[in-house]
Amino acid sequence: MTTTAITHISALVTNDPSLGDESPLGLIQDAAVVIEGDRVVWTGASSKAPATDNAVDAGGRAVLPGFVDSHSHLVFAGDRTQEFNARMSGRPYSAGGIRTTVAATRAATDEQLSANVARYLAEALRQGTTTFETKSGYGLTVEDEARALRVAARHTDEVTFLGAHIVSPDYADDPAGYVDLVTGPMLDACAPYARWIDVFCERGAFDGDQARAILTAGRARGLHPRVHANQLGHGPGVQLAVELDAASADHCTHLTDADVDALAQSDTVATLLPGAEFSTRAPWPDARRLLDAGATVALSTDCNPGSSFTSSLPFCVALAVRDMGMTPDEALWSATAGGAAALRRDDIGRLVPGARADLVILDAPSHVHLAYRPGVPLVREVWRAGARVV
């Protein structure tokens, strides 16, 4: 296989604390990284880089792992501009707006849905995202949820069944009947296309008992749990996520001390989604509290048309540093290695021998510029699986 060395890197983020400065980022100054095929095979000082077939001069720029977006909702049609405008004019956010997107998504063709997913993924790729998870949840019928997952599976292996996004409008007077549908015929139709199962455990959506029944049924079919937890208020979501060994509890905006302790003592990642707080003017999650307790934290976009219509993880990094108590180092780790942990993967989110060669070259000498220069398009090149794609 062809080998390529990227040399003269001002600062290489490996996310391996045994390397470089031995910080969590494993920063190597004046560094190089060598790629063979789709894998990293060597990292170290640029002056010691081995001979390779090809060489790329980074020109004193920073290199970091590709961003890992472990929470998005990309299979949808339409937008909710009017809802956003009203909310910015004073109307509060609630789970009910999802119904607007459900209607538009049901009316769209498979080709339209797939084109939308491709469009938003291209946006994300240009901003450095090389791995993403995405969910169903805007169909809420057996047929529409299954086709959403088929569409998603064309674009990623990290596919999540979210039939339990809200109670379908068709079952507005029979929520128990909808839970039976989700855990029965809908799960049967959707399980072959998904890796994960998720539930919106929140007032206006599903309570703790309903969420447990849905996640337990999914786990019995080989799908691993994730949970939309504690976004709109205190509730059972985080505790349920830990109880069921969910890969992640996502949002985590309203936490008790017991919730924080449970996350810190578990393998469940607290995935924070600052785009949602930005777009809904909700309180910011307290990342500092989680980090100081020892919880593993991820950052993701929550890209969706209602509450967080951004595909930019650099934007989320800047928000986390400015408003959530994270340092630039912590925010970058959470958007790369943290996202990988939320997907229970160790082949991405790091630049070490054996990892997939997903990396970003910034038009800046340090990763700190992601927060230092918010809104500036700093991503110069993106490499995925050893090939330059941007």
Side-chain angles (χ1 to χ4, degrees):
M1 289 185 287
T2 301
T3 56
T4 300
I6 302 176
T7 61
H8 301 112
I9 300 168
S10 60
L12 173 66
V13 176
T14 67
N15 283 338
D16 184 338
S18 72
L19 300 176
D21 65 356
E22 299 184 349
S23 71
L25 293 188
L27 278 171
I28 304 174
Q29 305 294 330
D30 192 14
V33 58
V34 176
I35 299 166
E36 183 175 2
D38 65 351
R39 299 284 152 174
V40 174
V41 294
W42 185 91
T43 59
S46 188
S47 61
K48 297 179 180 179
T52 56
D53 300 312
N54 303 305
V56 175
D57 190 335
R61 298 178 177 88
V63 171
L64 47 129
F67 294 117
V68 179
D69 193 343
S70 62
H71 184 127
S72 73
H73 303 251
L74 300 184
V75 188
F76 69 88
D79 69 23
R80 281 148 65 184
T81 306
Q82 291 181 342
E83 177 188 325
F84 176 81
N85 192 31
R87 189 164 65 244
M88 293 300 102
S89 303
R91 193 175 80 192
Y93 172 71
S94 71
I98 292 168
R99 294 180 183 86
T100 304
T101 301
V102 169
T105 302
R106 289 179 178 180
T109 66
D110 290 12
E111 291 71 23
Q112 288 170 328
L113 294 177
S114 188
N116 282 346
V117 174
R119 171 189 171 192
Y120 298 122
L121 291 181
E123 278 185 3
L125 186 64
R126 290 193 298 270
Q127 296 169 92
T129 297
T130 51
T131 302
F132 64 94
E133 175 270 2
T134 201
K135 310 174 193 295
S136 65
Y138 292 123
L140 308 187
T141 67
V142 172
E143 179 182 353
D144 285 306
E145 285 295 295
R147 78 178 181 121
L149 294 175
R150 288 195 299 269
V151 167
R154 296 177 191 173
H155 301 275
T156 182
D157 294 331
E158 300 294 349
V159 177
T160 300
F161 169 44
L162 182 60
H165 202 177
I166 60 168
V167 173
S168 170
D170 309 317
Y171 284 78
D173 298 324
D174 186 16
Y178 186 65
V179 171
D180 289 342
L181 181 73
V182 171
T183 56
M186 191 181 287
L187 178 59
D188 290 340
C190 291
Y193 306 105
R195 181 184 178 200
W196 307 96
I197 185 166
D198 199 345
V199 62
F200 191 14
C201 184
E202 196 67 67
R203 67 176 184 268
F206 298 89
D207 65 25
D209 290 339
Q210 293 169 325
R212 180 181 287 102
I214 291 163
L215 295 172
T216 300
R219 194 166 60 175
R221 291 297 304 271
L223 304 183
H224 203 87
R226 325 181 68 78
V227 183
H228 281 62
N230 300 55
Q231 176 188 5
L232 303 179
H234 295 288
V238 164
Q239 295 291 336
L240 181 63
V242 171
E243 172 194 328
L244 297 180
D245 186 36
S248 64
D250 297 32
H251 287 291
C252 294
T253 310
H254 300 274
L255 301 179
T256 65
D257 289 344
D259 292 333
V260 174
D261 290 343
L263 288 166
Q265 296 170 26
S266 75
D267 293 326
T268 298
V269 175
T271 299
L272 308 184
L273 308 168
E277 279 71 40
F278 177 87
S279 186
T280 63
R281 290 180 172 157
W284 297 100
D286 189 346
R288 183 80 269 135
R289 182 184 179 198
L290 286 161
L291 291 164
D292 288 348
T296 301
V297 173
L299 284 177
S300 291
T301 63
D302 190 21
C303 186
N304 76 83
S307 61
S308 183
F309 205 3
T310 180
S311 58
S312 175
L313 264 170
F315 173 64
C316 293
V317 165
L319 291 179
V321 172
R322 170 62 178 80
D323 291 305
M324 288 164 45
M326 301 183 87
T327 68
D329 286 13
E330 290 167 340
L332 177 61
W333 189 95
S334 294
T336 51
L343 296 175
R344 297 209 164 162
R345 292 179 59 176
D346 59 11
D347 62 324
I348 55 176
R350 304 184 303 151
L351 291 176
V352 296
R356 199 170 76 179
D358 295 352
L359 60 88
V360 174
I361 301 178
L362 293 182
D363 208 358
S366 167
H367 66 279
V368 177
H369 282 234
L370 292 168
Y372 180 42
R373 304 196 68 209
V376 177
L378 295 178
V379 174
R380 181 183 179 90
E381 295 183 21
V382 181
W383 293 57
R384 184 164 60 189
R388 182 180 173 182
V389 289
V390 174

